Amino acid sequence: MKVSRYLSFWIVLLLTVALVAAAAAGKIAWWWAVAPALLSALGIWDMNQRSHAILRNYPLMGHFRFLFEMIRPEMRQYFFESDNDGAPFTRKERSLVYQRAKGEVDSRPFGTELDVKMRGYEWVGHSLSPTIIASHDFRVTVGAERAQPYSMSVFNVSAMSFGALSANAIRALNRGAKKGGFAHDTGEGSISPYHREFGGDLLWQIASGYFGCRNGDGSFNEEKFVAQATSPQVKMITVKLSQGAKPGHGGVLPAAKITPEISATRGVPMGVDCISPATHSSFSNPIGLLEFIQKLRTLSGDKPVGFKLCVGHPWEFFGIVKAMLQTGILPDFIVVDGSEGGTGAAPLEFVDHVGMPLQEGLLLVHNALVGAGLRDRIKIGASGKVITAFDLARTLAIGADWCNSARGFMFSLGCIQSQSCHTDRCPTGVATQDIGRQKALVVPDKAERVYRFHESTLHALQELVQAAGLPHASALRAHHIVRRTSDHEVKLMSDLLSYLQPGDLLNQNYRYPVFAKYWPISRAESFHPAEPIQAQPIQAAA
């Protein structure tokens, strides 16, 4: 047996014996022996427990391993990360949000810290004849054909549910949205009293659990939907098909986490696990989806209704587009969520390896609608790591009409990217239901920060658009973004990305393999292709 592995234990044990002997002789007080005695007892427990081999081999000392592992993220964030390090967001990105939210100067001295010769570096092409734009309040009208169209900001709060976020976080987001005139997506957890408290514009998200409009068996309830959807505060309704961080995956909110407030908001009973199925029970094919959208539109008083998805199999979205052509029912908007989007908790495999990234998903949706001759009648929103004005400009240039941000607005609330959202121990009171912790989030102060972050980001977008010589953010196109492809070559984004022309799919002018392969076999009647996808044969090694 190697003594070194047990050295700390033997030292503590001998110290305990010595202190006990000294106390028994009346030389010192007994309390001097308490701490060493407790450590000795812990060492004995370490050597006899069966859960951790490290503690059995290294009693007492082994605990330092777990301590250092526990504080590793904080150590990296505070002491070792450079400004351009950190994931999912760098220190520089987080600092920018904090500065804008606090109304502090966000300028940078001395020059860029980025390697402009690095492959993938991007920039906006500027004009020698910059424009002057009267306002940075860029807006897009969604549902122009509806009885109650909505003029929305090009930058809005993305879907985050009450339950995932604290009551105070919801209050602050909505109060900031009210002051800034932008929209606040409820997430699939429905509309809580905290969403209504300050009257900010709401985008109500209806997911597979139909929270806030469900029957006892989890099916859709028309009467409950009407009661919520006809509220003047609800501006648009989104049918959620999937989200970027865990597409194709349902969810369970354990009974232990369901508070009376969550129970009332979602319409689920106390003491029972709250299930979010992976699929909707109201429809099972593309035509059914569009009929459900039309139903919600009618029940809501003809408000804009659309759907949100993270793109997976291309033929499934193509089937939805074919259903639009076949039925004449069009969603007013589509929100494309990239796989780089965030979530409170999801399996690692889903976070890292399921779903299409935003650029590819947005491009496919935009192209399919253009090729089908429908793009001018359907607006597209986009979400997935969008927090800076350049993120906005780039995403709008690729094909979006507006952008949503979740984690950006969380940073404006004070989130420090501790990545403890799933533990209910959020250090800033943003993502927790712990009453004591969420009291740390002071609503009036954080609402002002939410407002300022939105205001400053759009002002920065205005300056980018002016520098590019454009009259409005909606004029941004892929040729306004330049990307480095090698040490000695750069290309316009329009030359790197594949774009269809209006009506191409209707004329069977597919142009690119993804459309040539999957458009012909997609079906309006089913999410399944008309014929099996032919896999390429595996070539045997020579």
Side-chain angles (χ1 to χ4, degrees):
M1 178 177 70
K2 279 198 172 184
V3 176
S4 59
R5 288 194 287 120
Y6 297 91
L7 182 61
S8 60
F9 171 68
W10 288 118
I11 290 173
V12 170
L13 188 62
L14 291 173
L15 179 61
T16 302
V17 172
L19 290 174
V20 168
K27 295 180 179 180
I28 60 172
W30 280 100
W31 60 266
W32 281 95
V34 172
L38 291 175
L39 288 174
S40 297
L42 177 61
I44 294 171
W45 179 85
D46 287 344
M47 288 188 291
N48 288 280
Q49 55 80 37
R50 297 176 179 272
S51 300
H52 302 286
I54 287 177
L55 296 182
R56 285 172 68 88
N57 277 330
Y58 299 89
L60 295 184
M61 277 199 306
H63 288 280
F64 283 100
R65 185 263 182 190
F66 298 104
L67 172 64
F68 292 144
E69 184 180 62
M70 182 175 65
I71 64 174
R72 178 176 177 268
E74 288 79 10
M75 295 292 287
R76 289 184 61 192
Q77 184 175 124
Y78 296 131
F79 297 106
F80 304 114
E81 280 184 4
S82 73
D83 284 349
N84 294 315
D85 287 338
F89 294 90
T90 66
R91 175 181 286 274
K92 178 185 287 186
E93 290 171 323
R94 301 194 306 270
S95 296
L96 179 67
V97 177
Y98 300 148
Q99 289 166 331
R100 288 179 171 170
K102 294 175 183 178
E104 298 176 352
V105 175
D106 60 5
S107 302
R108 294 292 187 271
F110 216 67
T112 182
E113 295 179 351
L114 298 178
D115 181 1
V116 299
K117 298 292 288 183
M118 179 181 65
R119 182 177 180 179
Y121 174 72
E122 295 176 337
W123 66 92
V124 175
H126 69 279
S127 171
L128 294 179
S129 179
T131 55
I132 298 177
I133 303 173
S135 171
H136 58 256
D137 186 22
F138 299 120
R139 294 194 166 268
V140 56
T141 300
V142 184
E145 300 175 357
R146 306 277 71 83
Q148 302 183 61
Y150 181 50
S151 176
M152 71 186 303
S153 171
V154 297
F155 190 42
N156 305 279
V157 181
S158 196
M160 293 181 285
S161 301
F162 169 60
L165 297 193
S166 68
N168 280 0
I170 296 294
R171 284 186 176 112
L173 288 171
N174 197 257
R175 183 168 174 172
K178 175 68 173 179
K179 182 174 181 178
F182 53 98
H184 179 191
D185 194 311
T186 65
E188 68 176 275
S190 192
I191 306 172
S192 71
Y194 311 110
H195 286 97
R196 298 192 183 279
E197 189 170 333
F198 297 105
D201 292 350
L202 295 178
L203 311 181
W204 185 21
Q205 187 175 112
I206 309 296
S208 56
Y210 303 114
F211 300 128
C213 57
R214 58 185 269 140
N215 295 307
D217 62 356
S219 59
F220 177 70
N221 182 293
E222 291 188 15
E223 292 74 20
K224 292 179 179 178
F225 173 81
V226 170
Q228 300 259 42
T230 53
S231 165
Q233 193 179 350
V234 175
K235 303 301 182 182
M236 305 198 310
I237 294 102
T238 307
V239 178
K240 174 187 169 183
L241 302 181
S242 59
Q243 72 180 85
K246 48 182 176 181
H249 190 280
V252 178
L253 183 64
K257 292 188 177 182
I258 300 177
T259 65
E261 289 176 315
I262 293 175
S263 172
T265 297
R266 298 195 177 196
V268 298
M270 294 286 292
V272 179
D273 289 345
C274 176
I275 307 296
S276 295
T279 59
H280 280 258
S281 59
S282 294
F283 56 86
S284 59
N285 57 49
I287 291 177
L289 165 63
L290 297 181
E291 290 174 343
F292 186 62
I293 286 174
Q294 183 60 46
K295 181 179 182 178
L296 299 187
R297 200 147 49 198
T298 301
L299 292 172
S300 68
D302 203 29
K303 291 183 178 180
V305 181
F307 63 90
K308 166 185 170 179
L309 84 165
C310 176
V311 179
H313 298 313
W315 61 83
E316 294 180 342
F317 181 73
F318 295 165
I320 296 174
V321 177
K322 283 188 174 180
M324 297 178 198
L325 296 170
Q326 182 173 315
T327 64
I329 302 173
L330 305 183
D332 296 296
F333 63 90
I334 299 170
V335 176
V336 181
D337 202 13
S339 61
E340 60 268 53
T343 183
L348 178 66
E349 293 82 359
F350 278 77
V351 170
D352 287 348
H353 301 294
V354 180
M356 197 175 288
L358 178 58
Q359 175 177 293
E360 288 70 28
L362 172 58
L363 188 63
L364 184 136
V365 169
H366 171 79
N367 268 331
L369 295 179
V370 169
L374 301 173
R375 182 63 180 89
D376 60 340
R377 299 177 61 189
I378 300 172
K379 301 300 183 185
I380 298 178
S383 57
K385 291 193 73 174
V386 177
I387 61 170
T388 71
F390 179 75
D391 296 334
L392 281 167
R394 185 184 189 281
T395 307
L396 295 175
I398 291 174
D401 293 296
W402 82 84
C403 296
N404 298 330
S405 175
R407 289 167 291 180
F409 282 100
M410 286 177 67
F411 290 142
S412 74
L413 288 172
C415 168
I416 61 172
Q417 194 170 277
S418 69
Q419 300 187 56
S420 56
C421 311
H422 60 300
T423 66
D424 204 37
R425 295 194 297 272
C426 172
T428 59
V430 175
T432 178
Q433 295 304 303
D434 184 290
I435 299 299
R437 287 176 178 269
Q438 63 176 287
K439 282 183 179 179
L441 197 159
V442 180
V443 173
D445 173 64
K446 296 304 186 285
E448 191 66 20
R449 293 190 184 192
V450 168
Y451 162 74
R452 283 196 295 255
F453 168 58
H454 177 270
E455 188 80 357
S456 298
T457 303
L458 284 191
H459 177 70
L461 177 63
Q462 176 190 14
E463 293 186 320
L464 284 180
V465 174
Q466 289 176 158
L470 302 175
H472 193 276
S474 61
L476 284 162
R477 295 294 182 270
H479 62 264
H480 293 121
I481 309 296
V482 189
R483 182 182 179 92
R484 178 171 295 284
T485 56
S486 70
D487 287 344
H488 57 275
E489 187 177 21
V490 301
K491 289 186 178 181
L492 299 179
M493 189 72 77
S494 55
D495 293 329
L496 294 171
L497 303 181
S498 305
Y499 283 94
L500 293 183
Q501 297 300 311
D504 270 350
L505 296 178
L506 302 179
N507 299 324
Q508 299 183 6
N509 186 12
Y510 301 127
R511 295 183 187 268
Y512 307 109
V514 66
F515 300 102
K517 185 172 184 178
Y518 297 128
W519 178 264
I521 63 174
S522 61
R523 296 190 291 167
E525 299 80 15
S526 175
F527 286 118
H528 300 292
E531 58 188 58
I533 305 298
Q534 298 298 319
Q536 295 296 322
I538 298 175
Q539 300 295 325

